[in-house]
Amino acid sequence: MKEFFGFGGYERTPEGAWSWQHILFVSSLMIIMVGLAVLLGIRNKRKDDKTKNKVLIASAILIDSFEIIKIIIACVKDGSAHPILINLPLFLCSIQLITIPLASFSKGRVREASLDFVSIFGLLGAVLGTFGAAQNYNAYPVLSWDNVVSGITHSISGFAALYIFIAGLASMKKENIYITFIILLSFCGLALIADYTIPYNYMFLRNHDGTPYVIFYNLVKGNQVLYPIIVVVLFLLYITVFYLFYFLINKRKQNKEINNA
């Protein structure tokens, strides 16, 4: 258990990014994630919203519980409260720590926009936080607390996104797009403040840290004004494209139903 949690440092050599251990572990998480989302989504699709929402409530409790335990263990290992500052929910993936509970417990347009946000970014975060988290598997053994808890929380985000669509909870209303933008821009603003006060690199707004953002970082030669602007614009473009695809697919589906009728 001491070795699993990394107390005193890991003695095992990390298997490395894209090793068969990395691929097997994250693939297993993705299979479980998709399987549960499909199973529970289909089972609850024709049930009332209160019943559907119970699964989201469980997801919210689990993802936040794992994150809190992770921070507590990190503080114990560090011997200080410093890990709290570098584990704030200010990464794109960790925003789900707030939006999934909002989608579960809030009402009205805030709930609808939160459901949309989880739907838009949950699956993307799950893939990027497991298959794409190469730096984690170079730093820690695959079966270690750091990688296991990261894999679980990212998988919960992906599960919630898939479940919302399959169970029919997604609203994806045009009038809520601006709220989704506000949620993202608010977190980006807080992330930028944290990046220069802690300092850290939330939302990868200061540096690419080995992510695909390296393309844009090099393009502007690391300019600390242009680079974060590009990153934020990319987030907004992703939201816009996601909504457009959803509307196009939904419109085609409606036209098909009309023609069949």
mmCIF file of all heavy atoms in Angstrom, residues 129-147:
data_model
loop_
_atom_site.group_PDB
_atom_site.id
_atom_site.type_symbol
_atom_site.label_atom_id
_atom_site.label_comp_id
_atom_site.label_asym_id
_atom_site.label_seq_id
_atom_site.Cartn_x
_atom_site.Cartn_y
_atom_site.Cartn_z
ATOM 1 N N GLY A 129 -7.289 12.715 -20.868
ATOM 2 C CA GLY A 129 -6.760 12.464 -19.531
ATOM 3 C C GLY A 129 -6.326 11.031 -19.294
ATOM 4 O O GLY A 129 -5.790 10.720 -18.225
ATOM 5 N N THR A 130 -6.571 10.158 -20.262
ATOM 6 C CA THR A 130 -6.158 8.758 -20.128
ATOM 7 C C THR A 130 -5.140 8.395 -21.210
ATOM 8 O O THR A 130 -3.965 8.218 -20.940
ATOM 9 C CB THR A 130 -7.377 7.822 -20.206
ATOM 10 O OG1 THR A 130 -8.133 8.106 -21.392
ATOM 11 C CG2 THR A 130 -8.271 7.982 -18.995
ATOM 12 N N PHE A 131 -5.608 8.342 -22.448
ATOM 13 C CA PHE A 131 -4.693 8.025 -23.550
ATOM 14 C C PHE A 131 -3.688 9.160 -23.770
ATOM 15 O O PHE A 131 -2.516 8.914 -24.060
ATOM 16 C CB PHE A 131 -5.480 7.773 -24.847
ATOM 17 C CG PHE A 131 -6.201 6.466 -24.872
ATOM 18 C CD1 PHE A 131 -7.560 6.407 -24.615
ATOM 19 C CD2 PHE A 131 -5.523 5.291 -25.145
ATOM 20 C CE1 PHE A 131 -8.240 5.195 -24.636
ATOM 21 C CE2 PHE A 131 -6.185 4.066 -25.164
ATOM 22 C CZ PHE A 131 -7.550 4.029 -24.901
ATOM 23 N N GLY A 132 -4.176 10.402 -23.631
ATOM 24 C CA GLY A 132 -3.317 11.550 -23.943
ATOM 25 C C GLY A 132 -2.428 12.024 -22.809
ATOM 26 O O GLY A 132 -1.576 12.886 -23.023
ATOM 27 N N ALA A 133 -2.612 11.476 -21.603
ATOM 28 C CA ALA A 133 -1.830 11.947 -20.447
ATOM 29 C C ALA A 133 -0.460 11.266 -20.411
ATOM 30 O O ALA A 133 -0.102 10.596 -19.438
ATOM 31 C CB ALA A 133 -2.599 11.683 -19.161
ATOM 32 N N ALA A 134 0.300 11.453 -21.473
ATOM 33 C CA ALA A 134 1.589 10.764 -21.612
ATOM 34 C C ALA A 134 2.547 11.099 -20.481
ATOM 35 O O ALA A 134 3.269 10.222 -19.975
ATOM 36 C CB ALA A 134 2.213 11.124 -22.955
ATOM 37 N N GLN A 135 2.553 12.365 -20.052
ATOM 38 C CA GLN A 135 3.512 12.785 -19.026
ATOM 39 C C GLN A 135 3.299 12.044 -17.712
ATOM 40 O O GLN A 135 4.240 11.771 -16.967
ATOM 41 C CB GLN A 135 3.443 14.312 -18.811
ATOM 42 C CG GLN A 135 2.173 14.842 -18.188
ATOM 43 C CD GLN A 135 1.040 15.034 -19.181
ATOM 44 O OE1 GLN A 135 1.126 14.633 -20.334
ATOM 45 N NE2 GLN A 135 -0.039 15.665 -18.734
ATOM 46 N N ASN A 136 2.040 11.694 -17.407
ATOM 47 C CA ASN A 136 1.746 10.971 -16.159
ATOM 48 C C ASN A 136 2.364 9.581 -16.147
ATOM 49 O O ASN A 136 2.870 9.117 -15.122
ATOM 50 C CB ASN A 136 0.236 10.848 -15.956
ATOM 51 C CG ASN A 136 -0.420 12.178 -15.617
ATOM 52 O OD1 ASN A 136 0.268 13.147 -15.312
ATOM 53 N ND2 ASN A 136 -1.721 12.225 -15.697
ATOM 54 N N TYR A 137 2.328 8.915 -17.297
ATOM 55 C CA TYR A 137 2.812 7.538 -17.365
ATOM 56 C C TYR A 137 4.324 7.473 -17.549
ATOM 57 O O TYR A 137 4.924 6.404 -17.431
ATOM 58 C CB TYR A 137 2.061 6.784 -18.465
ATOM 59 C CG TYR A 137 0.605 6.643 -18.103
ATOM 60 C CD1 TYR A 137 -0.328 7.610 -18.489
ATOM 61 C CD2 TYR A 137 0.166 5.589 -17.314
ATOM 62 C CE1 TYR A 137 -1.649 7.516 -18.111
ATOM 63 C CE2 TYR A 137 -1.161 5.481 -16.934
ATOM 64 C CZ TYR A 137 -2.063 6.446 -17.332
ATOM 65 O OH TYR A 137 -3.381 6.356 -16.946
ATOM 66 N N ASN A 138 4.918 8.613 -17.830
ATOM 67 C CA ASN A 138 6.377 8.710 -17.801
ATOM 68 C C ASN A 138 6.870 9.025 -16.392
ATOM 69 O O ASN A 138 8.011 8.725 -16.048
ATOM 70 C CB ASN A 138 6.868 9.806 -18.757
ATOM 71 C CG ASN A 138 6.840 9.365 -20.201
ATOM 72 O OD1 ASN A 138 7.024 8.191 -20.512
ATOM 73 N ND2 ASN A 138 6.609 10.300 -21.114
ATOM 74 N N ALA A 139 5.993 9.637 -15.579
ATOM 75 C CA ALA A 139 6.395 10.076 -14.237
ATOM 76 C C ALA A 139 6.083 9.050 -13.150
ATOM 77 O O ALA A 139 6.836 8.922 -12.179
ATOM 78 C CB ALA A 139 5.696 11.393 -13.909
ATOM 79 N N TYR A 140 4.950 8.324 -13.306
ATOM 80 C CA TYR A 140 4.524 7.386 -12.268
ATOM 81 C C TYR A 140 4.258 6.008 -12.871
ATOM 82 O O TYR A 140 3.890 5.892 -14.043
ATOM 83 C CB TYR A 140 3.232 7.868 -11.587
ATOM 84 C CG TYR A 140 3.223 9.319 -11.211
ATOM 85 C CD1 TYR A 140 2.338 10.210 -11.832
ATOM 86 C CD2 TYR A 140 4.075 9.811 -10.238
ATOM 87 C CE1 TYR A 140 2.312 11.549 -11.493
ATOM 88 C CE2 TYR A 140 4.055 11.151 -9.889
ATOM 89 C CZ TYR A 140 3.173 12.016 -10.518
ATOM 90 O OH TYR A 140 3.158 13.336 -10.174
ATOM 91 N N PRO A 141 4.411 4.945 -12.072
ATOM 92 C CA PRO A 141 4.030 3.609 -12.547
ATOM 93 C C PRO A 141 2.555 3.579 -12.923
ATOM 94 O O PRO A 141 1.752 4.340 -12.357
ATOM 95 C CB PRO A 141 4.306 2.704 -11.341
ATOM 96 C CG PRO A 141 5.304 3.458 -10.519
ATOM 97 C CD PRO A 141 4.976 4.915 -10.704
ATOM 98 N N VAL A 142 2.181 2.725 -13.842
ATOM 99 C CA VAL A 142 0.787 2.665 -14.291
ATOM 100 C C VAL A 142 -0.158 2.376 -13.126
ATOM 101 O O VAL A 142 -1.125 3.107 -12.896
ATOM 102 C CB VAL A 142 0.623 1.597 -15.396
ATOM 103 C CG1 VAL A 142 -0.863 1.383 -15.711
ATOM 104 C CG2 VAL A 142 1.360 2.028 -16.662
ATOM 105 N N LEU A 143 0.108 1.323 -12.370
ATOM 106 C CA LEU A 143 -0.737 0.982 -11.231
ATOM 107 C C LEU A 143 -0.220 1.673 -9.973
ATOM 108 O O LEU A 143 0.345 1.062 -9.075
ATOM 109 C CB LEU A 143 -0.796 -0.532 -11.041
ATOM 110 C CG LEU A 143 -1.511 -1.307 -12.154
ATOM 111 C CD1 LEU A 143 -1.522 -2.787 -11.855
ATOM 112 C CD2 LEU A 143 -2.941 -0.792 -12.358
ATOM 113 N N SER A 144 -0.415 2.970 -9.963
ATOM 114 C CA SER A 144 -0.054 3.785 -8.804
ATOM 115 C C SER A 144 -1.233 4.705 -8.515
ATOM 116 O O SER A 144 -2.083 4.935 -9.389
ATOM 117 C CB SER A 144 1.200 4.611 -9.089
ATOM 118 O OG SER A 144 0.955 5.533 -10.146
ATOM 119 N N TRP A 145 -1.288 5.227 -7.297
ATOM 120 C CA TRP A 145 -2.405 6.078 -6.902
ATOM 121 C C TRP A 145 -2.578 7.248 -7.849
ATOM 122 O O TRP A 145 -3.700 7.573 -8.259
ATOM 123 C CB TRP A 145 -2.201 6.565 -5.467
ATOM 124 C CG TRP A 145 -3.166 7.624 -5.042
ATOM 125 C CD1 TRP A 145 -2.924 8.937 -4.824
ATOM 126 C CD2 TRP A 145 -4.571 7.439 -4.776
ATOM 127 N NE1 TRP A 145 -4.063 9.592 -4.441
ATOM 128 C CE2 TRP A 145 -5.085 8.697 -4.406
ATOM 129 C CE3 TRP A 145 -5.423 6.336 -4.818
ATOM 130 C CZ2 TRP A 145 -6.423 8.882 -4.070
ATOM 131 C CZ3 TRP A 145 -6.763 6.529 -4.501
ATOM 132 C CH2 TRP A 145 -7.250 7.794 -4.127
ATOM 133 N N ASP A 146 -1.488 7.904 -8.222
ATOM 134 C CA ASP A 146 -1.570 9.102 -9.066
ATOM 135 C C ASP A 146 -2.254 8.805 -10.396
ATOM 136 O O ASP A 146 -3.112 9.567 -10.844
ATOM 137 C CB ASP A 146 -0.170 9.668 -9.303
ATOM 138 C CG ASP A 146 0.445 10.222 -8.036
ATOM 139 O OD1 ASP A 146 0.175 11.387 -7.703
ATOM 140 O OD2 ASP A 146 1.169 9.480 -7.355
ATOM 141 N N ASN A 147 -1.864 7.713 -11.038
ATOM 142 C CA ASN A 147 -2.453 7.378 -12.332
ATOM 143 C C ASN A 147 -3.831 6.747 -12.210
ATOM 144 O O ASN A 147 -4.715 6.999 -13.044
ATOM 145 C CB ASN A 147 -1.520 6.450 -13.117
ATOM 146 C CG ASN A 147 -0.378 7.212 -13.771
ATOM 147 O OD1 ASN A 147 -0.524 8.371 -14.146
ATOM 148 N ND2 ASN A 147 0.762 6.567 -13.909
#
